[in-house]
Amino acid sequence: MTTIATTTAGSRAFAECTRDRHIALDGEEGAVLSRRISVTDELGRCHYRDREVITDKVWAKKVFQIHNADVFAAALALNVGCEVAEDVNADGDLYTYAETRDARLLIDVNGHTLEFPWPEQATYWQRAAFSVPIPVEALRSGLNEVILRSADATEWYVLIEDSLWPNRSARSIDAGRTWDDEHLGPSGSHDGEYMLRLQLEGHPPQGTIVSPSIDLATLLSGARVGAPLALHDLTLDAEAETPEGTAIALEIRYGSTPSYEPFRWTGWLSGFGEEALSEGEPRFAQWRATLRTSSPQSTPRLTAVTLRAEVEAERAADAQAYDVLVDDTPTIARSSYPFAYQSYDEPRVHIARERWQLDEVVAGAADELTGLARLADWTRHQWEDGWNMRSGLRGGELRYCPPWDGLVIRELASRDLSLGMCTHYATVFVQAATALGFIARHNVIHAHCVAEVWVNDWQKWVMFDPGCDTDDDRKGTYHLERHGVPLSTLEAHQAWIDNDLEGLAMVPVLDDGVGPDARFALDTWLRHFERFCITLREDDLTSLSPGEPEHGWGSYHFDGYLWWEDAQTPKLVCFTRTTDREADLCWGVNQVAVHLLATDDPHALGVTLDTMTPNLDWLEIQMDDGAWRETSQEFVWRLRPGENRLAVRSVNRFGRSGPVASLTLVAP
């Protein structure tokens, strides 16, 4: 019997683990519970017209359920409007309001009255929601009552998301004497929750962190080729600090495939052998740690996890006999957050591809990047006056802001019936790319919306801006490159944060007929990337829900986006999903990882392929200089003495091939 072990220790190693939003990395130490608790009953799935009008007579009440009020600090995310703000003038990042008269909103928190004066100016991000500090002594464990009322006759507005539960929002039309939780809004037609959110500075009750899949066969061999084994036991040990009232629970699961598959992996277990595999022999394992606390002021700290396996080793020495000359195979980065990919079976995807004649748009493109640049340019030429700046009809003849449905947007905007600005250009571009078999998504940045596409040729996410230019004579679009390498939105953000323009270029350069257009100078234009989020779905052609009914008319308020945070980009009070883990934004798709296993025959290796290819049709391989042919996930690689080359790739149902992964080794 042989004991093998691997230890995950420190923030660098823990950064490779997936984790929920309640886990944070603590400097160089390891993992702790985050210092943020979000209390909310809605996602912001509402229209800007779905609003309550608040006056000195009409009050709005929101009740928050707080598990434990022993927190460090608290703030109300106040997404409100005010009649003072009707004709807003933008001056750079500052929004100056039409009137400067005194307007005060009174906020009663469990009987403690706070005042919120409407500001004369506000930044772009403040307009998403104002942060109103709440004294922690005003809060209590259990139900907390927050009442909004105007200090005078000024009208204030708060949005409403319709729902039947949990009935924690109510309206009073008689200055608080009686309350009605079923007839919200001026016409009494809404039944739901006011879009008010409470952020507490304190540790949540629990959070979970999960290791990457661990290949026990290569852990045993210590080489690129794994050694066959019989697994007899798995144990976990943790190095941790657990102050009073805190705890850490460790669990394992194991399976016969490189990543989790139902029926080929066990469920999460407290010990080995509690559940047998229904298919295959266990070779891969994962650990999961759940951090818990009974007090928002305390957190456990996990600094190391060691997984030990008792195995019966087979041919470990044989596994080390292969000399790997070239290994161009990926370790697939995994996001902590599920992403909803567009299904090939959705008829509207094929309607878009045919109706828009997308194959003709990209025909003859030298590579994917060139084809996508053409697609961005095609998108910008589908309609004009999308911002309705010349016509003066904001929202077109119908005064309408379409949701993220490209088929609807193109029909309406091209007839000047609706708004068709940056968010709508991004939508049509994303869904056109999706219809061609790419993986694409929206990005919300500073007062703008762009798109990102996974480009197989570069094996990375690349940002495209198909709606940056309001000049209908030019209709400019661009992407960013550094020394010829296309950039993601995260890389554009980092360039702005670091003020690093070395080798950076806008492709193509947008000119005004004389030279480069000063509006797009990178030292100022990159400011749009100072804060951003990604969407966690691309399947809007199947369903517009969940999401905002309209996008871009005002500040984004849907709470289903994932926002980036770093030391220079702190969390916004109004959103609950944030991450500082790069793989959560830049995970890998369409790639193929290759796992090798020694056999009884030194001229034969067992191969197991792993991929995360949405709408996967088949996997294919190329041996040496032979033809590409379809293969199963597991097969035997027959070797000849000397050099042997294996190349693999995936093909999705749209007919698009993923990036090629290859390795060359010398067989004895």
Side-chain angles (χ1 to χ4, degrees):
M1 201 71 67
T2 301
T3 301
I4 55 177
T6 180
T7 298
T8 304
S11 293
R12 184 181 296 272
F14 281 122
E16 298 179 7
C17 301
T18 58
R19 58 184 189 262
D20 65 29
R21 61 189 174 90
H22 301 304
I23 294 290
L25 300 188
D26 182 23
E28 297 300 319
E29 294 297 321
V32 295
L33 289 169
S34 65
R35 199 177 162 105
R36 192 186 201 207
I37 302 170
S38 300
V39 186
T40 178
D41 294 317
E42 41 70 35
L43 278 173
R45 296 162 62 178
C46 47
H47 186 282
Y48 79 98
R49 297 188 184 97
D50 301 328
R51 64 184 189 179
E52 184 71 83
V53 177
I54 301 169
T55 68
D56 54 344
K57 303 293 191 300
V58 180
W59 297 3
K61 177 168 65 175
K62 174 65 188 175
V63 177
F64 293 100
Q65 174 80 49
I66 298 178
H67 174 69
N68 188 328
D70 187 20
V71 295
F72 300 104
L76 182 67
L78 192 62
N79 187 306
V80 294
C82 180
E83 63 177 318
V84 171
E86 291 298 326
D87 302 320
V88 175
N89 298 314
D91 179 18
D93 185 41
L94 288 178
Y95 290 79
T96 305
Y97 298 105
E99 300 181 43
T100 57
R101 65 178 174 82
D102 179 50
R104 291 174 299 122
L105 183 69
L106 302 180
I107 306 171
D108 299 322
V109 182
N110 295 328
H112 296 72
T113 300
L114 309 173
E115 283 194 8
F116 174 73
W118 186 254
E120 294 184 8
Q121 292 181 324
T123 67
Y124 176 79
W125 297 112
Q126 283 177 326
R127 291 176 67 233
F130 298 98
S131 179
V132 180
I134 295 177
V136 293
E137 57 268 20
L139 301 176
R140 58 193 178 214
S141 301
L143 299 179
N144 291 257
E145 192 174 83
V146 176
I147 295 174
L148 307 183
R149 53 192 174 93
S150 178
D152 51 30
T154 302
E155 289 188 353
W156 295 73
Y157 317 111
V158 62
L159 298 183
I160 309 168
E161 178 181 276
D162 284 293
S163 64
L164 295 178
W165 190 255
N167 284 339
R168 293 192 182 131
S169 294
R171 174 176 182 250
S172 173
I173 61 174
D174 54 11
R177 293 182 180 88
T178 59
W179 294 94
D180 185 344
D181 62 11
E182 293 185 351
H183 303 91
L184 308 181
S187 65
S189 60
H190 290 281
D191 183 2
E193 297 297 328
Y194 293 130
M195 205 185 78
L196 295 169
R197 298 163 189 167
L198 186 62
Q199 297 292 352
L200 307 177
E201 186 182 342
H203 302 293
Q206 72 174 46
T208 300
I209 182 169
V210 180
S211 77
S213 177
I214 299 166
D215 187 344
L216 300 176
T218 55
L219 185 61
L220 172 62
S221 68
R224 180 64 176 85
V225 177
L229 55 85
L231 181 61
H232 291 277
D233 194 20
L234 279 172
T235 57
L236 294 172
D237 295 304
E239 294 180 17
E241 300 172 16
T242 53
E244 185 178 355
T246 70
I248 298 176
L250 297 177
E251 297 170 292
I252 55 172
R253 66 179 179 184
Y254 43 91
S256 58
T257 55
S259 54
Y260 174 79
E261 290 184 21
F263 309 113
R264 302 196 69 177
W265 278 64
T266 67
W268 287 108
L269 309 169
S270 59
F272 179 76
E274 295 178 5
E275 182 181 326
L277 289 183
S278 57
E279 296 182 25
E281 295 297 325
R283 170 183 171 181
F284 302 91
Q286 277 183 297
W287 57 259
R288 178 172 75 174
T290 301
L291 283 63
R292 297 189 175 95
T293 183
S294 60
S295 169
Q297 299 208 18
S298 298
T299 178
R301 175 175 285 103
L302 181 67
T303 54
V305 176
T306 298
L307 179 144
R308 290 185 176 84
E310 295 291 330
V311 302
E312 188 175 337
E314 302 175 25
R315 296 182 295 282
D318 295 342
Q320 299 173 354
Y322 302 90
D323 185 13
V324 178
L325 302 181
V326 177
D327 190 351
D328 189 19
T329 61
T331 298
I332 302 174
R334 310 274 179 175
S335 175
S336 305
Y337 295 84
F339 186 85
Y341 298 98
Q342 180 65 67
S343 171
Y344 176 84
D345 294 325
E346 172 54 59
R348 300 183 78 238
V349 174
H350 305 286
I351 291 172
R353 185 169 186 165
E354 295 170 9
R355 188 179 184 88
W356 297 346
Q357 300 179 323
L358 296 177
D359 292 279
E360 295 181 16
V361 174
V362 299
D367 51 38
E368 290 181 334
L369 191 67
T370 302
L372 288 164
R374 286 188 191 175
L375 195 65
D377 184 67
W378 170 87
T379 301
R380 182 60 182 88
H381 280 78
Q382 294 313 293
W383 65 87
E384 295 186 348
D385 203 19
W387 290 260
N388 307 119
M389 297 191 330
R390 283 199 295 260
S391 66
L393 300 176
R394 180 167 167 78
E397 292 182 19
L398 300 181
R399 304 295 197 278
Y400 181 55
C401 179
W404 283 348
D405 187 320
L407 289 167
V408 173
I409 289 169
R410 185 170 178 264
E411 295 300 319
L412 294 179
S414 63
R415 303 176 191 180
D416 199 24
L417 295 176
S418 73
L419 205 63
M421 57 179 191
C422 57
T423 186
H424 305 104
Y425 283 116
T427 298
V428 170
F429 173 77
V430 164
Q431 291 169 10
T434 300
L436 287 170
F438 291 96
I439 307 301
R441 65 193 185 198
H442 295 78
N443 289 174
V444 176
I445 61 177
H446 183 114
H448 194 36
C449 189
V450 296
E452 273 185 301
V453 184
W454 172 268
V455 180
N456 293 306
D457 295 342
W458 289 94
Q459 298 196 54
K460 66 179 299 188
W461 292 90
V462 176
M463 187 282 303
F464 292 88
D465 192 344
C468 65
D469 193 1
T470 59
D471 183 347
D472 286 323
D473 294 325
R474 176 176 50 194
K475 299 183 178 67
T477 65
Y478 76 93
H479 64 276
L480 296 170
E481 293 184 3
R482 189 188 294 277
H483 299 300
V485 178
L487 267 60
S488 67
T489 303
L490 177 58
E491 290 169 322
H493 165 80
Q494 198 60 51
W496 169 255
I497 293 296
D498 296 339
N499 190 27
D500 181 10
L501 304 183
E502 195 272 328
L504 200 63
M506 180 179 283
V507 181
V509 174
L510 301 183
D511 64 67
D512 58 9
V514 178
D517 192 326
R519 291 180 302 159
F520 297 99
L522 288 179
D523 58 351
T524 54
W525 182 257
L526 277 181
R527 180 171 178 271
H528 288 282
F529 296 90
E530 53 93 12
R531 184 186 295 277
F532 74 100
C533 71
I534 67 168
T535 53
L536 292 174
R537 53 184 301 232
E538 62 166 3
D539 60 344
D540 302 89
L541 282 176
T542 295
S543 173
L544 292 172
S545 183
E548 296 176 32
E550 296 187 8
H551 291 274
W553 193 282
S555 297
Y556 287 88
H557 51 258
F558 179 57
D559 200 21
Y561 308 129
L562 180 61
W563 292 85
W564 176 256
E565 63 166 306
D566 52 38
Q568 294 79 24
T569 317
K571 299 178 177 72
L572 292 171
V573 69
C574 49
F575 299 111
T576 61
R577 291 173 173 84
T578 63
T579 185
D580 60 359
R581 180 176 180 266
E582 183 175 344
D584 288 345
L585 303 183
C586 300
W587 68 93
V589 291
N590 302 334
Q591 298 170 307
V592 182
V594 180
H595 297 263
L596 304 176
L597 192 69
T599 70
D600 292 330
D601 183 352
H603 295 107
L605 291 177
V607 179
T608 301
L609 303 180
D610 186 29
T611 187
M612 207 291 295
T613 300
N615 296 296
L616 175 67
D617 203 355
W618 69 80
L619 296 166
E620 56 185 18
I621 59 174
Q622 181 188 55
M623 303 288 194
D624 300 313
D625 295 323
W628 286 96
R629 60 183 174 85
E630 187 175 344
T631 186
S632 60
Q633 183 182 9
E634 298 175 350
F635 62 92
V636 175
W637 182 12
R638 299 293 176 182
L639 306 173
R640 61 173 183 263
E643 288 189 18
N644 295 263
R645 178 180 179 273
L646 173 67
V648 299
R649 66 186 179 188
S650 66
V651 181
N652 69 17
R653 294 177 65 191
F654 293 90
R656 186 163 299 281
S657 299
V660 175
S662 65
L663 60 88
T664 302
L665 56 75
V666 177

